[in-house]
Amino acid sequence: MKPTHIEHIGIAVKDLKAAIALYERLLGTPCYAVEEVVDQKVRTAFFKVGETKIELLESTAPDGPIGKFIEKKGEGIHHLAFAVDDLPGALRHMQEGGMQLIDAQPRKGAEGLQIAFLHPKSTGGVLTELCSHH
Ligand code: ZN
């Protein structure tokens, strides 16, 4: 049930185009995908750093989760995502260990991943995502 690696780091940005240009300079690598996740009200842009990705998140609506986050806390790191082999199993394991889940069932995230969030109340204030490729 141990995570295999950090799948991505999610970063809330106000202006995706400007943030893409910044990260292209910072990482020396082009953004390889831009994708809108309609039910999360976000537009995402991805970069690869070794096995880990940087996921830039721009809100498409002020009342979406990223819009609210930026209003409260400003731009910056939004969540950490760990890759697991068996997401439903990992969620059961976390719940049995007393973790509070935001998503009791896996749902579809960007890049065709199955994802689920743990509540930051039970993860020391860090919004934590678990994800798997199946
Ligand atoms: Zn994510």
Side-chain angles (χ1 to χ4, degrees):
M1 227 40 79
K2 270 201 301 194
T4 54
H5 60 284
I6 295 176
E7 215 284 334
H8 62 269
I9 299 169
I11 299 174
V13 304
K14 283 185 184 163
D15 179 343
L16 192 62
K17 225 180 128 199
I20 288 172
L22 170 65
Y23 274 85
E24 286 185 340
R25 275 208 313 281
L26 194 62
L27 303 173
T29 185
C31 165
Y32 72 88
V34 175
E35 181 183 345
E36 187 162 342
V37 183
V38 174
D39 66 340
Q40 284 299 295
K41 299 178 179 174
V42 290
R43 198 170 301 118
T44 62
F46 287 94
F47 293 83
K48 270 195 187 114
V49 185
E51 213 180 345
T52 302
K53 297 162 194 160
I54 300 292
E55 175 186 37
L56 304 178
L57 300 149
E58 176 194 59
S59 189
T60 55
D63 65 333
I66 294 300
K68 285 189 201 154
F69 177 88
I70 288 178
E71 195 183 305
K72 251 195 261 173
K73 300 189 177 174
E75 294 181 291
I77 293 181
H78 177 259
H79 67 273
L80 269 187
F82 296 105
V84 296
D85 290 327
D86 168 14
L87 184 53
L91 288 175
R92 267 199 311 279
H93 177 78
M94 292 291 172
Q95 201 162 28
E96 282 161 15
M99 291 284 182
Q100 200 180 322
L101 310 181
I102 292 176
D103 303 301
Q105 300 296 330
R107 59 189 167 85
K108 226 169 123 45
E111 298 215 293
L113 292 178
Q114 292 290 107
I115 66 164
F117 281 96
L118 308 180
H119 201 288
K121 264 186 202 159
S122 53
T123 52
V126 178
L127 180 60
T128 302
E129 176 184 343
L130 302 178
C131 53
S132 74
H133 285 276
H134 33 257

